[in-house]
Amino acid sequence: MRWTGMPMAMWVLFAKSFEKQLTEVFGYDAKTAKAIRKTAKLRYKEIIAKLPEFEKGDRFQLNIIGCAMLGAFVLCMPRRPDTESLTVYYEKAQMTPLMKWFCRKSGKNKFTPKDISGMKATATLKAADRNPYSWNMEFYEYPDGSGYEGRFTKCGICVLMKKLGLYDLTPALCRLDYTMSEAGGVTDFVRQYTLASGGPYCDCGYKKKRLQEDRA
């Protein structure tokens, strides 16, 4: 994957936030946090350079870029974090004002014909059959009309975290699905399994908030 383009743009947008949370979550002083960020940039570029280009129509490029960035920072920290603290760190680093705006905007399009069509196209693409750092997904609409589920049988984040020697920390990234759904304002996120915790698949279920409230 080329550094110029989306990977570089994501670094510009989020690197300072990742640096800030090194101090707020892990207690590193400002000088150390800055040094970690500088070293992490080099590691991030190395990780990106070893990733394949994603196919046109593959919607998961940003997911793997976010994983690469987090992995780079973790590998450059003086102390290896535990999963619980890294979960907090990743959520705070990712949920910038811009990201919250993006989630709200995406929420407005949830369950529209375009959204449903995009989910079905992703399920058909099965990009992970050709790119191990992408995802394979099956799509299920709930029969009661309350929403839908994406069921993932292959996960690029799991593959990359194993490659980086950080697989035990993968659940820290999984938790962001709940946070982004909440920020969108229109769905309740439901999940039973994750591949990272030994499940048969990762289920990402989105229930319509309004429908649930009307039934209450």
Side-chain angles (χ1 to χ4, degrees), residues 145-163:
S146 62
Y148 61 67
E149 174 184 310
R151 186 174 295 179
F152 295 87
T153 54
K154 292 185 179 180
C155 169
I157 283 176
C158 289
V159 175
L160 181 55
M161 291 295 275
K162 282 182 181 178
K163 186 76 173 179

Side-chain angles (χ1 to χ4, degrees), residues 66-87:
C67 177
M69 188 177 298
L70 179 64
F73 271 88
V74 172
L75 291 171
C76 294
M77 293 180 191
R79 301 183 300 274
R80 197 178 196 274
D82 57 37
T83 303
E84 184 177 354
S85 61
L86 189 64
T87 300

Side-chain angles (χ1 to χ4, degrees), residues 89-198:
Y89 172 77
Y90 189 56
E91 178 179 327
K92 288 180 174 292
Q94 282 279 15
M95 296 309 290
T96 62
L98 179 62
M99 177 62 85
K100 291 176 181 178
W101 171 84
F102 174 78
C103 290
R104 290 192 299 270
K105 186 178 183 210
S106 297
K108 294 178 180 179
N109 297 319
K110 206 71 171 176
F111 309 119
T112 62
K114 183 179 180 180
D115 177 47
I116 300 296
S117 176
M119 293 294 288
K120 290 179 178 179
T122 296
T124 300
L125 185 62
K126 296 189 182 304
D129 287 349
R130 298 168 298 281
N131 176 2
Y133 295 98
S134 189
W135 280 254
N136 276 3
M137 182 193 81
E138 298 172 359
F139 177 68
Y140 300 94
E141 293 186 76
Y142 297 134
D144 62 357
S146 62
Y148 61 67
E149 174 184 310
R151 186 174 295 179
F152 295 87
T153 54
K154 292 185 179 180
C155 169
I157 283 176
C158 289
V159 175
L160 181 55
M161 291 295 275
K162 282 182 181 178
K163 186 76 173 179
L164 298 177
L166 302 173
Y167 187 65
D168 59 304
L169 299 176
T170 305
L173 292 93
C174 302
R175 183 62 181 79
L176 194 67
D177 291 326
Y178 291 88
T179 305
M180 293 182 69
S181 173
E182 183 179 351
V186 300
T187 61
D188 289 316
F189 186 80
V190 293
R191 167 176 283 157
Q192 187 174 6
Y193 302 111
T194 64
L195 291 169
S197 60

Side-chain angles (χ1 to χ4, degrees), residues 3-20:
W3 159 250
T4 55
M6 191 59 68
M8 184 169 65
M10 293 296 286
W11 181 265
V12 171
L13 289 173
F14 288 99
K16 281 290 186 179
S17 180
F18 274 68
E19 177 185 341
K20 178 182 178 182

